[in-house]
Amino acid sequence: APDRRDIRRLQTFKEGTAGAMMTTEVACLSESLTVRQALDELSRQAERLETIYYIYVVDGTNHLRGVVSGRLLISSIGRPETPLADLMKRDVVAVNVNDDQEQVAQKVAFYNILAVPVVDDSNHMMGIITHDDVIDVVREEAAEDVQRIVAVEPLSESYLRTPILILSWKRGFWLMILFFAALSTAFALKMYQSWLDSYAWLVLFIPLIISSGGNSGSQSSTLIISALATKDIELSDWGVIVRREIIMGLLLGGIMGSMGFACALLLAPTMTQALIIPITILCVVLCGTCMGSILPLIFKRMGLDPAMMSNQFVAGLSDLLGILIYVNVALLFLS
């Protein structure tokens, strides 16, 4: 009966919250107990407890008051009449029952603790979340982020357990979006087809231009998404991030542009026209790095998952922008 009550109570919390993932089998002792009384009580509770890394101290109305480590309690056995209130640490790291599981995982990782207590809005002790539960959350969140980065809607089941039709829908939804993004690139090329026919050598560099912008944008978006996930960066760091990516874009674009210029000298009619390639590559890589870093930040600011700004989505936008930049740079040199 007690187990059924615990299961029903846990089911009342929204999936993905601290309340849904906590265990109610927790070592809780009254702050009025002495060390000897606490050890006696723990020996009675031990069989049903999941862990006794920490002993949580509560008052008469089950408000969380403090925490005592199991090691400290045992080492205080030489002072058996010492009350727990004198031993406990009052500044307790806790999470609310309605906190998102990802926030819980980040807090446990930040404070490097083996378990974290779960309290309600009135600071009543509700349960604990242990480090092994947090590891499961980290794996789940990491899997979802990876799936979003490659433009797949996160799977609720494992790959083999997901029905083919559902898997096709989750993959196909984003593929259709990316398909139309690529189609817009084709229409952009169609607009300049007659002009490109007059300068056939420029067509040879289109794959190079497109890949330069797409690859640099994908790199930036992946780095920013992973840094946001691990809390290495915050939204308030956007200015520093943009400056770093501009510098990165100029450096990488300059190096790649130099190599592109060497190749263009072999194919372009004149050295002046060959300059079209390095200038375009520099501009495209710069745009790619900036776009790849800014778009995840915008999604984060809007309250959306930054991982939704997948590599393929950034690459698609970079492809379209790359064609427009390429043609307009070429027009400046050939007009």
Side-chain angles (χ1 to χ4, degrees), residues 198-240:
S198 303
Y199 302 96
W201 69 273
L202 289 174
V203 178
L204 301 175
F205 288 93
I206 289 178
L208 175 66
I209 301 298
I210 288 178
S211 63
S212 297
N215 291 338
S216 60
S218 295
Q219 283 185 338
S220 295
S221 64
T222 300
L223 289 171
I224 297 303
I225 290 169
S226 61
L228 284 170
T230 57
K231 295 295 181 181
D232 287 341
I233 60 173
E234 299 289 344
L235 285 176
S236 57
D237 299 322
W238 71 269
V240 176

Side-chain angles (χ1 to χ4, degrees), residues 81-136:
E81 300 307 318
T82 304
L84 289 183
D86 292 346
L87 292 178
M88 69 182 185
K89 178 184 175 183
R90 298 180 183 275
D91 186 17
V92 186
V93 176
V95 296
N96 187 276
V97 287
N98 297 312
D99 284 349
D100 184 84
Q101 62 180 14
E102 191 171 1
Q103 293 176 303
V104 175
Q106 290 167 355
K107 183 169 286 190
V108 170
F110 181 81
Y111 290 102
N112 194 26
I113 49 182
L114 297 173
V116 63
V118 182
V119 297
D120 63 11
D121 294 333
S122 301
N123 204 42
H124 288 108
M125 186 69 184
M126 303 292 290
I128 60 169
I129 296 173
T130 57
H131 66 286
D132 52 338
D133 295 324
V134 170
I135 290 173
D136 292 337

Side-chain angles (χ1 to χ4, degrees), residues 276-302:
I276 295 171
I277 304 304
I279 292 174
T280 300
I281 290 176
L282 177 63
C283 294
V284 167
V285 171
L286 181 59
C287 288
T289 55
C290 291
M291 189 185 305
S293 59
I294 292 172
L295 289 178
L297 294 175
I298 292 175
F299 265 53
K300 180 73 172 179
R301 182 67 181 85
M302 293 169 62

